[in-house]
Structure formats: structure tokens, C-alpha cells
Amino acid sequence: MERYSLNHLFRTLGCFLLCVMFTATAFAQQKTIKGTVVDVTGEPLIGVNVAVKGTTIGIITDIDGNYTLEVPSKSTIVFSYIGYQAQEVPVGNQSTINVTLKEYAQKLEEVVVVGYGTQKKVTVTGSVASVSGEELKASPTTNLSNGMVGRMPGVIGFQKSDEPGGGGTTIRVRGTNSLGSNDPLVVIDGIPDRDGGFNRLNPTEIESISVLKDASAAIYGARAANGVILITTKRGKEGKATVTFNASGGFSQPTRLPKMANAFEYATMVNEINPGTWTDEDLRLFQDGSDPWGHPDTDWFDTTIKNASPMYRADVGVQGGSEKMKYYVNFAANGEDGIYKNSANRYDQYSLRMNLDINTSKYVSFQLGSIARLENTKYPMKSASSIFSGIRRGKPTQNAYWPTGEPGPDLERGDNPAVTSTDIAGFDNQKNYYIQNNLSVNIKIPWIEGLTIRGNGSYDKHFYNRKKFEKPILLYSWDGVNKNSSGLTAAKRYVDNAQLSREHSDATSWMVNGLIDYNRTFGQHNLGVTFGIEAQKKDYDFTSAFRQGFISDTKPELNLGSDVGMKNTGYSWEEARLNYFGRVSYNYLERYLFEFVWRADGSYRFPKNKRYGFFPGASVAWRVSEENWWKENVRFIDYFKLRASISQTGNDALLNSDNEYDRSIQYLNTYRFTEHGVVFGGEESKRLYAVRTPNPNITWEVGTTYNVGLDFKFLQNRLSVETDAFYHKRTNMLISRNASLSKITGITLPRENIGEMKNRGFDMLVGWNDNIGDVQYNVSLNATYARNKILFWDETPGAPAWQVSTGLPVSTSLYYVADGIFHNQAEIDAYPHWEGAQPGDIRFKDINNDGKIDADDRIRSDKNEEPRFVAGLTLGLNWKNWDLMALFQGATGGQVYIQTWSGTIGNFLKEYYDQRWTPDNPTANGPRTYEREDQYWISNKNTYFLRKGDYLRLKNVELGYTFSVDALKKAGISKLRIYGDATNLFTLDHVKVADPEARDVNLEAYPQRRIINFGVQATF
């Protein structure tokens, strides 16, 4: 034992001495190095990561770019900094290591897409926001517009519905600028206003999106008054062929559904409307659930809406090429199911895009772009608003399905939404086929340096087919006795006989333009000149047919229907445009910059003497940070540019009463056939009659925009700020004068150029990029504030000053001001009130103090549904093989009016039940139970039902991991990434009963959806 202890002691002492020796040796090999890190101009860089390669030993440079670090003598030092090329330096015998870091070339030469060309970002004089396709890919949505919101300053959006096959976000550039159309012009690969818009474009195929917000948009003249969205798709790159594969799958579910009263609560409220409708025994049975046949407790949302709806997306792309030819080809498919159980709603899309760049010689090149896309949408027979109206109003005291599985009775007019949301009632299939082609040629003139001639042409076809087949459905009523299938009686509901509608449209669009570019540098002077001419034409043809009286509903073909009641109709239209445009840009040393753009636009919508409009825009910029005195005295700001612009743009788009585009010619007499004619000799003869007075003086709506902005970067470009203030005035707005014209005249006036309004605000983008050791991160905040005001339009004369909309934002409404409720008769007697007011009714303020409540006591709100302030916060993080992105998006300044159609016609919100006044709860803050529109405070809009539309939501989040395994590379896989992403994960707001973006009075819109998605990306 003693011998073992001595041996153990010697071994321990030996190990300790060896450790001491190795430690001493290690310390002897350590050395101290120091130095300074600067950029190419000699300016010190703060926060540069200085680390020993392959270890965790490191430090960052101080405010003067200096560092001091203890390192092993045989090590290699890595200098890295966001936006700069990393450098590796072996230590060797050096004790002082000074390093000059160079910016990435692409940062210095970063370009943005502008009208009819591109520009270096540092030389841009206008207000242009942009987002890359890579950022948009992180949003797993079928509608591209849904992924734009919150990512760009100046872009305001709200999504009222999210139905597969629809559900796009309404996009506004810097808010509302007109009493008519506020839609921005969308230009895809240089072609304006393509059929199908941009909602269905595949984010994988997009290189970038730019938004022109000020004078930069004026080169599009007549259609640019509401801003311009430029979308550029991906093209080929020089190098070996690269194959990319992306596949993802997930599910969607409603972000929020209203919580309705249960059977007991609803029956209690019905008794408050019609006492004695339900007995105490009935209420007990509703509450305890012991009689599902006679006293059910139906949750119509749970019965009709499923928990999760599947969706998928897959892409296969090939990109590559040589100096002579480059190519990009992508095949994509995506689909999503509706949220109904046994859903008749589904959307599937298939597309093939091909972009080719061909250099036939040193001076001539061609670009070809082509896409074929099929959009296949299946809808239920009833519209989404009808189905959700039925679900929301569904009485919990009524069965959706009987306990034996048969569908229950209809709510009204043959409608049971649990059934009509399926294909039992028929189908409504709609298919859109798009074939879009564009060809460009660029010719450099060899004997004139800087001169290029360009030609562009496009030819697009859009075919639309709709097949709508409605069938009777069998709904079952109960005899009230036999609690099994024998007690049920089936009856046909919804329609008496099957009926079929067919619709077909054929749209053709072509565009051709020719441009001359001259770009030349004379010493330190840079000059660019562009002149172009462009023509565009569209034609559209529509036909439809209808038949009913089908013997069988198994064969939905027109020729199998009855001739009795058959109908057919059709119409067509065409439109054409011709315009001239140009740009002159000049800069000195890329320090003092000037640009002038213009467009002379012609529109078929105006008479010949008013047809053409001239729309100019001028902008200047000064890169102050390029001045020597700035570099010597203001070193902490690395980049500073001032911008200013003024421009005029136009608008010729008209909207009808349904807020759809009106293609009628306002300067011509308009006629229509009478619906019924006079019968002579057994034949009906219809006559023509004038429906509108022409306006021979109608012309362009004009928008004048003033913009000032500044861009700056400091802390070695880690912090960047871009901000703009704008003022937009719209004159000659195309509106009708009918408000001041009595309806008894029967006259329909044409649009006139009589409206004026203004819109002002600011937008900004603040970004921070940095790294902490191996962690690279970025934060980006964009914000937009816009407030408009009507300066003049046609209003009803004689209205009180507090009801006039002039001087207030567009689309404001009149409301009685709710001032609590009448808790008892004494309060009613002591305050001016609506005739017939009862305890529990809402009390309205007597605004004009005349002792009575009437229409003159309504006030006009200074807010509407549209938010005034929107913002997006993007967080990005990369650590080793992990990447994380999160987008928070919010809005303030809007308001939402929510007032459900309830009573014996349908259910109430649960929150209304909880807050309502009753004789047993006379101190409640909410009004009493109401019946449809019978109460004055339901039939008249009032502020009690207004809610703040402010919200903050986690709009998008994505987490990914990229594998770096040699075995993958040996298998030909250069990159493999797996990821998970989500949309609309959570929302903070004041609305509570519905999604805050829905703006849905009766809660009858298809709800916004939360999406959870998982995918894989591979590059070969």
C-alpha cells in the first residue's frame, strides 16, 4: 500500500512538472502585436474584427483604428469588417501590422433600376426604394404584394382578404393621392401594365423591385402620378451551368376568427329581443348539451373551418452561359388549399420562364424574355363573403349537421355554409393562361463613342375561362320527435335546378419602343442623354353563355341545358397609347449631379385637342462628403448626399361606382339599349337612349411632387440613413359633379377636371450592419408617414361646417358621437335623445346644442381606414452555418368600423354578450341587445363601433442552416440549405375580433392567414 502511494505521488509530480514546462514554453512563444486598420482613403476603421485564425482569440479596433493583441508567434491574423474584403496576415517576426481594407467592388458600383435603364446608386438624384428578390423569397405567400409590405420606405399596404386565388395586398406609394385611382404603375422587365400584374410572379425569379416615388417616376408621365413599381427578373450569368432546386411545404390557418356567443348566450339574447322565445328549460338544455338534436350548441366556425390547410411550392432553375450567350430558365409550381373543411376552394399555379442574353458581336446584343403561366383557381359556388356571412351569422341553436351526419337546415335562402363551402353545391372553376414575350436589341454605334440604339418589343396573350355549375343541395329538417335519421326529411335547397354559366375572354397586348442613348465621359464631366418613342395597344374580347333546366347534374355542358331561359352576351374594347420620352443627366466628379426627365403622353381617353400632355421632372443632388473640406473636417460621417426634385406626372384612369376601371369615352355621347322593347308583329324592338352627357373638355389629371432628401453613412458605413420629405398636389382630378346636382333630374354627368387635393409626409430607411466575432448581424428600419387633404371637390351644398369633407382626408365618414349609454329612464329624460330611446341605448352628443338629436349632429371623422404611418423592422443574423431573418411590421392612424348584422337574423359576438346592458346589469358599458337595424344606433353610424386600426405583427420570420460537408460537394451539391419560415405569427392590436388589416364591418371577409412552412434549397 505504501509503495503504491509513493508511485502515485511521483507520477502526479511528473505530470505537474511537464505541464509547467509546456506552459512556460507556450508563454515563451506568445508575442504582442499592434497596428492600425484604415480604409483606402487612409481613414481609420472603428470596430474591425482582429482575430487569430482558427481560435477565439480576438479584439476590435478602437476609435482611431488601433489595436493591441497577444498572439502565438506562428499564427495568422484575420482582419474582417462588414462591407470590406477580409485580409489574412501571417505574424512571423512582425510586431506591428498595419492593414488597409478595401470595400467590396459591388458596394462601390451598386446599381438600382430606374425608368428605361439603371444608375449607380451613388449618382441617383431621385427618391428610389428597392428590395431584392432574395429578401422576398423569405415570405411564403402566393401573392408577391403580400411580401412587399414592411420592406421598403414609401410603400403602404393593407390586405383585406387572403383567399387562395385572390387575397392580394392593396399597395399605395406614399399613401392616397387622388379621389380616383391610386394604383401605382407596374413595369415588368420594361413592359408597363402587363396583364396579370405582379401578384402572381414567383419571388424566386425576381432579381429586384424598385419603387420610383418622385421625379424619377416622371419619365413614365401619364400613368406615374401614383408612383411606379419596376420589377426586374433574373437573367443568365457567365460561367458553368448552375442548377438550383427549392421545395417547400407547409400549412395555413386563419390568423384570427371572431368568437361568437354560444347557444345559451344567443338564446338568452333572443329572449331579450322577443321574450318567451325560449323557456328556462330550453336554456338549461342549451347550456348542458344533453340534447344535441333539439338543443345543439353549434360553433359554425369550428364546423366549417379546418385547423390547417396544406400548401406547397417547388422551383427548378438553370443559370449560366458564356460570353456569347447567357441563359436563365426556371420551372415553378405552387398550390394551396382553402381553409374550409372538404374545401371547394383551391389555387394551383404552374409557370415556365426563360431569359436569354445573346451577344452576336462586339456591338450587337439581344435579350429575349418569355413566360408561360397557368393559374387554376377553384371556388365554391357561393362567394367568400356570402359563406363567411353565413358562418358569422350562423345560429348556435341550429344544427349544421345532425348527430347522424346529414346536413342541417338552411339559415336562409337555401344556404347552409357548412355545405355551400364544399363542391356539393357545384363548382366555380376559373383558369387564366398567360403567354408573355419581350425582345430587346442593343446596337452600339462603333464610330460614335457612347452612342447606343435600343429597341424593345413585347407581345402578350391572356386567355380566361370560367365554368360555373350550380346544383341543388339536399338539406334535412327534423320532425322534432325521432332522434335518428327516420326523423329527418330531405328537401332541395339553394337552386331548384342545375344551371351552368360559361365565360371566356381573350386579351392581346403589344408594346414597341425605340431609344437612343448617349453616355460619355469628358474628363471629369459625365453626360447621359436618352430619347425614346413608345406605342402600346390592348384589345379585349368577352363572351358568356348561360343555360338551366339540366336533366342531370352529372354532365355540365351547355348543349345539355334547356333552351328556356338561356342567355348570352358579349362585349369588347381596345385602347392605344403613343408617347415620347427622354432623360438628360449630368454630373461633375460624381459630386454635383443633375437630371431632367420628360414624357409627352397621348391617351385615347381624351379628345384630340386635349389628348397629349407634357410631364417633366428635374432633380439635383450634391455628394457633400466628396468635398475636400468635408473629408478634412467631418471625418465621422463617411457619406453624405443632399437631394431635391420637382416633377409633374399624370393620370387618366377612371373608376366607376364599383371602384373598378371605367373604360368609357367621356367626351363622346354614350348610349344604351332599353332593357325591354316594344313588340311589333310578334318581334321585340328595343330603342337606344342617351345615358350620359359628354364632356369635350376632359383631359389629364396632373400631380405635382416636391421632394427633398438626404442620405448619409457614418461609423465606417455601419450606420446608414436615407430620408425624404415630400409634398404632392393633385389638380384637375377626374371626378363627377353629381353631389351638387339633385338626383331628381335623372341626369348623369361625365367626369370633369374639377378636383384638387394634397398629400404630404416623409419616409426613411435606417440600417445598421456589423459583426461580433463570428456573428454578422443587420438591423433595418423603414417608416412612412403620409397625410392627405381634399382641397376642392363637389360636395352637397348647405352642409354644416363640421360635416364638410373638404379640408379632411379622402374617404372619411360621418358619425354620431357616442357618449356612453342611457342606464335608466332618468338619464334619457335629462338629455337630448333620439325619439323612442330606451335604457340601454347609446347616447349621442348634441353637437350643435339645439336640444335635439338629428342628422346635423353627425361629425366627419378626420381618419379613415388607411393608416397614416407604417413601419417595418427587419433583423438579420448569420452565425457560422446558421441564418435568421425576422420582419416586424406595423401601422397606426387608421380606424376600423365593426358592427355585425345580428339579432334573430344571426349570432352576436361573444364580447358583445359580455359587455351588454340588461335590466339586471344596468351599469354595463355596452348597449342592450339589438335586432337587426331596428335600433337607431345600429341604423346610424356612430363612434361606439369605431376601433383603432393600429397594429404590430411579426410579419415574417425565417431560420435556415447551410450544410458544409465535403461528401455533398463530391456528390455535385455545392450548397444545401434547410429552412423554416412563417408569416403572421402573432399580432398586437385593438381590434381583437378580427384581423386589423381586414377593415371588415360585418366580419364577412375571407380572413388573413398564418403560414408555417419548411423547405430545402440545393445548388448543383
Side-chain angles (χ1 to χ4, degrees), residues 554-780:
T554 60
K555 202 72 173 172
E557 302 294 342
L558 280 174
N559 65 324
L560 298 179
S562 171
D563 292 345
V564 178
M566 70 176 186
K567 301 175 184 176
N568 58 75
T569 186
Y571 62 89
S572 64
W573 54 260
E574 63 179 28
E575 62 182 31
R577 297 177 182 275
L578 177 65
N579 48 74
Y580 309 86
F581 57 90
R583 174 192 291 113
V584 176
S585 60
Y586 166 80
N587 73 70
Y588 174 69
L589 291 173
E590 294 188 347
R591 183 186 303 170
Y592 311 106
L593 308 110
F594 168 79
E595 182 173 274
F596 176 75
V597 296
W598 60 274
R599 193 178 185 103
D601 242 316
S603 173
Y604 71 99
R605 292 178 176 169
F606 305 131
K608 288 184 178 181
N609 61 332
K610 302 283 187 178
R611 186 158 293 172
Y612 280 89
F614 182 75
F615 304 101
S619 55
V620 295
W622 177 23
R623 291 178 64 195
V624 188
S625 54
E626 292 300 296
E627 301 286 358
N628 290 330
W629 57 266
W630 180 280
K631 294 178 180 179
E632 294 172 0
N633 299 290
V634 196
R635 294 184 178 183
F636 65 94
I637 299 181
D638 310 299
Y639 178 89
F640 187 76
K641 180 168 72 173
L642 295 173
R643 295 177 281 105
S645 70
I646 180 174
S647 63
Q648 282 195 330
T649 49
N651 182 32
D652 66 348
L654 305 177
L655 298 180
N656 59 24
S657 57
D658 296 324
N659 214 35
E660 296 176 344
Y661 280 102
D662 182 354
R663 302 186 184 276
S664 61
I665 308 299
Q666 300 282 312
Y667 65 88
L668 297 176
N669 285 302
T670 304
Y671 295 90
R672 184 178 299 159
F673 280 106
T674 55
E675 189 170 344
H676 301 288
V678 180
V679 177
F680 289 103
E683 293 186 2
E684 183 182 23
S685 299
K686 296 183 178 182
R687 65 180 180 85
L688 284 171
Y689 67 99
V691 295
R692 185 182 56 237
T693 304
N695 177 11
N697 298 311
I698 190 170
T699 189
W700 295 98
E701 188 173 298
V702 177
T704 303
T705 302
Y706 304 87
N707 192 96
V708 293
L710 59 89
D711 310 330
F712 62 90
K713 302 177 183 179
F714 53 95
L715 298 179
Q716 277 69 52
N717 295 317
R718 286 180 295 175
L719 180 62
S720 62
V721 178
E722 299 175 17
T723 184
D724 290 85
F726 62 88
Y727 176 86
H728 179 94
K729 185 174 182 180
R730 189 69 61 92
T731 56
N732 290 341
M733 280 194 295
L734 295 162
I735 61 175
S736 298
R737 198 186 289 271
N738 289 341
S740 60
L741 184 70
S742 175
K743 293 182 179 180
I744 63 174
T745 63
I747 298 175
T748 301
L749 295 177
R751 310 299 168 84
E752 298 179 66
N753 298 101
I754 57 174
E756 289 189 12
M757 65 174 289
K758 67 178 181 180
N759 183 31
R760 58 184 172 83
F762 68 87
D763 54 58
M764 64 183 300
L765 174 65
V766 180
W768 173 270
N769 291 272
D770 203 354
N771 68 284
I772 302 175
D774 292 336
V775 179
Q776 294 185 338
Y777 67 96
N778 60 81
V779 182
S780 175

Side-chain angles (χ1 to χ4, degrees), residues 332-349:
N334 61 274
E336 54 185 339
D337 202 10
I339 62 176
Y340 310 121
K341 291 181 178 178
N342 303 311
S343 178
N345 180 211
R346 181 169 178 80
Y347 178 80
D348 289 283
Q349 176 178 307

Side-chain angles (χ1 to χ4, degrees), residues 851-980:
K852 61 182 179 180
I853 303 298
D854 57 21
D856 287 344
D857 291 306
R858 295 175 299 167
I859 66 167
R860 188 169 293 277
S861 172
D862 63 349
K863 294 184 178 181
N864 53 28
E865 294 181 347
E866 190 171 301
R868 290 182 185 170
F869 179 83
V870 298
L873 175 66
T874 302
L875 308 175
L877 184 147
N878 290 273
W879 177 68
K880 295 185 178 179
N881 293 18
W882 292 93
D883 61 270
L884 174 68
M885 185 283 302
L887 169 63
F888 293 87
Q889 186 257 327
T892 64
Q895 60 187 17
V896 185
Y897 194 83
I898 295 179
Q899 181 193 81
T900 62
W901 196 33
S902 302
T904 57
I905 193 67
N907 203 1
F908 291 86
L909 291 170
K910 176 68 165 63
E911 70 166 26
Y912 194 94
Y913 169 84
D914 293 337
Q915 298 171 4
R916 79 193 192 288
W917 178 97
T918 66
D920 296 329
N921 186 22
T923 59
N925 293 323
R928 64 188 174 95
T929 299
Y930 60 90
E931 165 66 349
R932 306 193 188 194
E933 302 93 357
D934 289 356
Q935 282 66 41
Y936 67 86
W937 39 273
I938 294 295
S939 57
N940 292 279
K941 278 188 171 184
N942 62 86
T943 58
Y944 178 82
F945 296 99
L946 277 176
R947 306 185 188 216
K948 289 183 178 180
D950 306 347
Y951 68 89
L952 173 66
R953 72 185 342 151
L954 179 53
K955 186 73 173 178
N956 188 212
V957 63
E958 181 175 89
L959 176 65
Y961 181 84
T962 302
F963 292 92
S964 55
V965 181
D966 291 337
L968 293 174
K969 296 181 179 179
K970 292 178 181 178
I973 302 175
S974 59
K975 180 180 179 181
L976 180 64
R977 177 177 179 265
I978 59 174
Y979 64 91

Side-chain angles (χ1 to χ4, degrees), residues 254 256-260 298-307 339 341 387-394 907 909 993 1003-1005 1007:
R256 185 179 293 164
L257 294 172
K259 186 171 180 57
M260 309 305 296
T298 302
D299 183 333
W300 284 87
F301 280 102
D302 183 64
T303 301
T304 311
I305 306 300
K306 57 189 174 187
N307 294 326
I339 62 176
K341 291 181 178 178
I387 291 172
F388 277 94
S389 173
I391 296 172
R392 205 278 306 151
R393 291 192 295 114
N907 203 1
L909 291 170
V993 297
L1003 307 182
E1004 296 175 355

Side-chain angles (χ1 to χ4, degrees), residues 44 199 278 284 350 377-378 422 514 561 568 599 702 760 873:
N199 256 329
W278 302 103
R284 184 189 67 79
Y350 310 93
T377 310
K378 298 179 180 179
T422 72
N568 58 75
R599 193 178 185 103
V702 177
R760 58 184 172 83
L873 175 66

Side-chain angles (χ1 to χ4, degrees), residues 195 461-465 503-509 538-544 569-575 663:
D195 266 16
K461 291 292 293 184
H462 172 207
F463 301 102
Y464 168 76
N465 277 293
E503 295 179 1
H504 172 77
S505 68
D506 180 352
T508 303
S509 175
K538 290 186 175 185
D539 60 68
Y540 178 85
D541 190 33
F542 174 84
T543 57
S544 69
T569 186
Y571 62 89
S572 64
W573 54 260
E574 63 179 28
E575 62 182 31
R663 302 186 184 276

Side-chain angles (χ1 to χ4, degrees), residues 437-452:
N437 307 280
N438 47 279
L439 175 67
S440 302
V441 58
N442 299 303
I443 304 173
K444 295 181 180 179
I445 307 301
W447 53 88
I448 303 179
E449 183 182 348
L451 183 64
T452 303

